């Protein structure tokens, strides 16, 4: 083989190996121009141009070679890079205690179509997962878009490598339900192409927030959230979820914050799971939870409309103190550089941010030396967006291999 042919092949190999990192940079908004892409990849401008052109040919991004120059700028502006609005999508699905939601999500974490469904979730996982897959398949038929994968978020730890839901306590599903196999089989039966994945809802919320929301730029991101029932946690380290040896890491809901508190489903007492979720808030505020709407919605409405009520203010303070205790313990163990809060915890933070931050600072080893930023999650339906991230990951890893 000639030296020239070897050099050309070497450039092609380098270019292909850069496709995934380049797509992830555009996908997460970190490379809005070819100049930034060149710098981030550490390649020549010619290689970056070839990589961008290949991603454009695959229908994943658009390259604007004649962008308008900013007012007052000098020199020729760099090519602008953006997600192709007409590109492929993935099916994202979420099941929670009050129903389910299906969506079509494009690159960049953009939800293109969504449909909620069901107020009562069946105790049969196959029935509800089948319903959410059917809803997603209907969205796909209406859109006419190419689908390259599917992801499902569930409110349970998902054991690896089996893909079983170990503790779907608030769904009344049998422990150990084979949710991944069930979802994959139903996705294939519906004629939806691409691989199918399943993960814990808070893990996926953290992944979505790290790539597209309040967690951007954090190296060690801790997410704690309460949705409709219970409390979950997740840790993202250098852009990847830390799930432990068998997918069960960060069960933060079972950190004890009130030893004499409420009995928990795990057999202990006073866990975050039962001391800082919507049911705990409504109970602490002296409200009788009604069956008409979700506990999360009832809690949000109470905060929005009756925060001046002394009982409601006292309940906010009680939950913030317990949440702060739990977060302080996690800071001591995990040393995150940012904490983000989701679900009702986001609203509690907004109600009295200084109280929560003071508890975390006072109770954590390093709190008095500056503290860890505690922020609210910013994405709507972040678990759903995270489920989409699972489905997009094979494309982000190897765009050419995944899409041909």
């Amino acid at each position: 083989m000639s030296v020239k042919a070897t050099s050309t092949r070497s450039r092609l190999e380098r270019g292909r190996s850069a496709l995934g990192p380049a797509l992830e940079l555009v996908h997460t908004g970190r490379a809005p121009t070819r100049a930034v892409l060149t710098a981030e990849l550490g390649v020549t401008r010619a290689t970056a141009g070839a990589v961008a052109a290949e991603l454009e040919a695959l229908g994943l991004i658009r390259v604007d070679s004649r962008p308008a120059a900013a007012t007052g700028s000098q020199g020729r502006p760099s090519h602008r890079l953006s997600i192709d609005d007409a590109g492929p999508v993935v099916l994202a699905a979420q099941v929670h205690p009050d129903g389910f939601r299906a969506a079509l999500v494009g690159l960049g974490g953009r939800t293109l179509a969504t449909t909620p469904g069901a107020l009562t979730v069946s105790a049969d996982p196959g029935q509800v997962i089948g319903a959410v897959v059917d809803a997603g398949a209907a969205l796909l038929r209406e859109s006419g878009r190419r689908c390259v994968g599917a992801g499902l978020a569930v409110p349970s730890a998902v054991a690896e490598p089996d893909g079983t839901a170990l503790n779907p306590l608030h769904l009344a599903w049998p422990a150990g339900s084979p949710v991944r196999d069930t979802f994959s089989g139903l996705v294939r039966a519906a004629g939806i192409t691409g691989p199918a994945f399943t993960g814990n809802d808070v893990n996926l919320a953290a992944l979505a927030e790290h790539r597209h929301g309040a967690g951007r730029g954090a190296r060690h991101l801790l997410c704690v959230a309460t949705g409709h029932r219970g409390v979950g946690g997740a840790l993202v380290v250098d852009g990847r979820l830390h799930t432990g040896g068998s997918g069960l890491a960060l069960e933060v809901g079972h950190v004890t914050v009130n030893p004499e508190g409420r009995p928990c489903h795990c057999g202990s007492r006073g866990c975050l799971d039962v001391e800082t979720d919507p049911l705990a808030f409504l109970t602490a505020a002296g409200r009788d939870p009604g069956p008409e709407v979700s506990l999360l919605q009832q809690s949000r409405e109470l905060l929005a409309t009756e925060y001046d009520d002394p009982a409601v203010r006292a309940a906010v303070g009680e939950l913030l103190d317990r949440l702060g205790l739990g977060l302080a313990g996690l800071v001591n163990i995990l040393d995150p550089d940012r904490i983000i809060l989701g679900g009702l915890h986001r609203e509690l933070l907004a109600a009295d941010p200084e109280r929560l931050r003071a508890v975390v600072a006072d109770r954590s080893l390093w709190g008095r030396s500056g503290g860890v930023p505690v922020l609210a999650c910013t994405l709507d339906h972040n678990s759903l967006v995270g489920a989409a991230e699972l489905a997009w990951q094979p494309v982000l890893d190897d765009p050419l291999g995944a899409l041909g």
Side-chain angles (χ1 to χ4, degrees):
M1 184 180 292
S2 69
V3 173
K4 183 177 180 180
T6 301
S7 176
T8 300
R9 179 173 156 185
S10 176
R11 285 198 301 272
L12 288 172
E13 289 173 349
R14 286 199 304 272
R16 174 164 182 173
S17 68
L19 284 175
L23 181 59
E24 185 162 332
L25 286 166
V26 180
H27 171 63
T28 55
R30 291 177 291 154
T33 68
R34 194 175 70 178
V36 175
L37 184 68
T38 302
E40 289 287 337
L41 293 177
V43 298
T44 65
R45 187 169 65 176
T47 298
V51 166
E54 183 68 37
L55 292 175
E56 186 173 38
L58 289 170
L60 298 172
I61 73 169
R62 288 193 177 277
V63 181
D64 182 358
S65 59
R66 294 187 176 183
T71 303
S73 63
Q74 295 182 347
R76 182 180 176 183
S78 178
H79 292 34
R80 294 203 63 81
L81 309 178
S82 60
I83 299 300
D84 189 339
D85 290 335
V89 298
V90 297
L91 167 62
Q94 181 182 11
V95 176
H96 54 75
D98 295 307
F100 65 75
R101 185 176 292 271
L104 304 184
V105 182
L107 282 167
R110 295 172 305 158
T111 300
L112 307 175
T114 183
T115 177
L119 294 177
T120 303
V121 174
S122 169
D124 176 4
Q127 185 174 336
V128 67
I129 294 174
V132 75
V133 169
D134 288 345
L139 288 177
L140 278 170
R141 287 193 297 271
E142 293 168 9
S143 73
R145 303 286 281 267
R146 177 186 182 185
C147 181
V148 297
L152 170 67
V154 294
S156 167
V158 178
E160 299 293 348
D162 300 327
T164 54
L166 289 191
N167 60 341
L169 301 171
H170 304 298
L171 294 179
W173 289 356
S177 296
V179 289
R180 180 174 299 155
D181 288 348
T182 300
F183 181 59
S184 297
L186 289 167
V187 164
R188 287 194 300 272
I192 298 170
T193 58
F197 303 89
T198 303
N200 169 261
D201 53 1
V202 179
N203 276 353
L204 300 182
L207 184 62
E209 292 285 346
H210 186 271
R211 292 182 176 178
H212 307 292
R216 276 181 173 174
R219 286 198 60 203
H220 296 81
L221 177 69
L222 173 63
C223 175
V224 176
T226 179
H228 301 266
R229 288 292 302 276
V231 174
L235 184 68
V236 181
V237 180
D238 291 331
R240 301 292 176 182
L241 278 170
H242 173 74
T243 55
S246 54
L248 308 179
L250 272 293
E251 279 291 311
V252 305
H254 301 291
V255 172
T256 300
V257 293
N258 182 14
E260 305 303 320
R262 300 174 178 87
C264 183
H265 309 280
C266 70
S268 184
R269 277 186 172 275
C271 297
L272 272 177
D273 207 59
V274 293
E275 296 289 341
T276 66
D277 77 342
L279 180 59
F281 175 63
L282 292 169
T283 302
R287 299 311 197 264
D288 185 17
E292 298 81 12
V293 296
S294 78
L295 297 174
L296 178 60
Q297 184 177 337
Q298 291 178 61
S299 297
R300 285 174 166 164
E301 289 175 355
L302 184 60
L303 270 172
T305 61
E306 299 185 50
Y307 185 60
D308 289 337
D309 184 322
V312 175
R313 282 183 175 271
V316 168
E318 182 178 310
L319 263 71
L320 285 174
D321 288 347
R322 291 173 182 169
L323 177 59
L325 283 174
L327 293 179
L330 293 168
V331 167
N332 292 339
I333 295 168
L334 302 172
D335 188 25
D337 55 24
R338 191 179 310 172
I339 299 170
I340 56 173
L341 302 179
L344 179 61
H345 291 165
R346 179 171 64 174
E347 278 79 16
L348 293 174
L349 173 67
D352 195 347
E354 294 311 312
R355 181 165 184 159
L356 178 64
R357 290 172 179 138
V359 174
V360 175
D362 185 56
R363 295 284 184 152
S364 58
L365 290 172
W366 318 117
R368 291 185 177 85
S369 64
V372 180
V374 182
L375 307 174
C377 290
T378 57
L379 299 178
D380 292 330
H381 308 301
N382 50 17
S383 293
L384 201 66
V385 176
E389 290 298 313
L390 281 187
W392 276 117
Q393 195 59 54
V395 180
L396 296 172
D397 290 338
D398 183 5
L400 198 57
L403 301 182

